[in-house]
Amino acid sequence: MMIAETLRKMLGERQPLFIGEDTASKAAVIIPLVQVEGEWRVLFEVRSHKMRNQPGDISFPGGKLEKSDESPLSAALRETGEELGIDPAEIEVIGRLSPYVVSPSFVLYPFVAVLDYGRIREYNRQEVEEIFTVPLKWLLEYEPYCHYVPVEPKPEPDFPFHKIMNGVRYRWRSRVLEEWFFEYEGYTIWGMTARVLKYFLDLARKADLGGA
């Protein structure tokens, strides 16, 4: 009986959102909503061509969680402030989206916030090549297109096939990645940014944000 009570107490405490979250690499981003000439728009960054990872890709402001960050939100605010040259205290957080489990070893935490576009005067040129905005109304009406990427598991040579049923004839489960694309005035938004953007827009449509 003591075992059951101990387990009940343990399972009643806060647990990670998914198995592996504690050890996964984590990043957080903000979907920035800004007003330009009275129109609501979504702000994007073009990553600096000097960046080692994904140079030139389009992304939301944000980055990896550091040990000093208290939470994914604090990391998103810190990174956004550093990249766009604004005070994190001036960022009005509206809410959060569900975490995006990119892989068992990487998870992305997205948040939605309102920024004062006029405050963005000098962004970090070491990380950001340029910024641009897309009308929210246009995004809500746009139909992104999708390409599919098959992913096949490939065990390493020393995998212990002799310990599993069917050995080398074991049938691994393959999967297909959906890669969404948004095209706007010469900019191509794809990858994790497109996946998070699509999820946000789908929620916004259900809330009839387009008619607000």
Side-chain angles (χ1 to χ4, degrees):
M1 193 65 178
M2 288 182 62
I3 292 178
E5 289 302 321
T6 301
L7 287 173
R8 184 175 289 110
K9 181 180 179 182
M10 178 191 74
L11 296 175
E13 296 174 351
R14 182 187 179 279
Q15 297 187 47
L17 291 174
F18 60 91
I19 296 174
E21 184 187 22
D22 286 342
T23 56
S25 179
K26 305 175 180 67
V29 297
I30 281 180
I31 300 175
L33 302 178
V34 298
Q35 276 199 314
V36 180
E37 297 180 352
E39 178 184 48
W40 283 106
R41 303 173 76 98
V42 178
L43 183 144
F44 297 89
E45 297 178 351
V46 178
R47 290 171 61 85
S48 171
H49 298 310
K50 301 174 185 177
M51 297 287 283
R52 182 173 57 183
N53 296 322
Q54 300 175 296
D57 274 2
I58 292 170
S59 67
F60 292 121
K64 289 186 177 181
L65 271 69
E66 305 290 349
K67 291 182 179 179
S68 58
D69 293 319
E70 297 179 357
S71 66
L73 177 56
S74 62
L77 292 171
R78 174 184 56 76
E79 287 280 355
T80 299
E82 293 174 359
E83 293 171 11
L84 297 181
I86 59 177
D87 186 346
E90 296 176 348
I91 300 173
E92 181 187 352
V93 178
I94 301 299
R96 63 177 178 82
L97 301 180
S98 298
Y100 175 23
V101 183
V102 182
S103 75
S105 60
F106 182 65
V107 58
L108 182 69
Y109 301 88
F111 299 88
V112 180
V114 173
L115 279 64
D116 184 345
Y117 190 64
R119 296 277 187 177
I120 305 172
R121 296 186 177 88
E122 191 60 40
Y123 48 85
N124 187 344
R125 299 284 180 169
Q126 295 299 314
E127 298 185 40
V128 183
E129 192 72 22
E130 63 173 299
I131 60 174
F132 67 96
T133 63
V134 181
L136 179 58
K137 185 177 185 296
W138 184 92
L139 287 168
L140 288 168
E141 296 172 351
Y142 181 79
E143 288 292 337
Y145 59 93
C146 183
H147 284 275
Y148 299 95
V149 182
V151 178
E152 298 285 345
K154 186 178 180 181
E156 294 184 347
D158 62 348
F159 187 85
F161 282 105
H162 61 286
K163 294 187 177 183
I164 65 174
M165 187 63 68
N166 295 327
V168 295
R169 293 188 299 277
Y170 180 83
R171 296 185 65 179
W172 297 90
R173 290 186 179 182
S174 60
R175 61 193 180 101
V176 175
L177 295 179
E178 291 183 351
E179 288 291 354
W180 292 94
F181 290 79
F182 292 76
E183 303 278 357
Y184 179 78
E185 295 188 354
Y187 295 103
T188 299
I189 303 166
W190 75 290
M192 289 188 295
T193 302
R195 174 62 63 88
V196 172
L197 175 63
K198 182 178 183 301
Y199 181 77
F200 167 67
L201 294 172
D202 288 345
L203 289 178
R205 292 188 191 97
K206 289 178 183 178
D208 196 25
L209 192 62

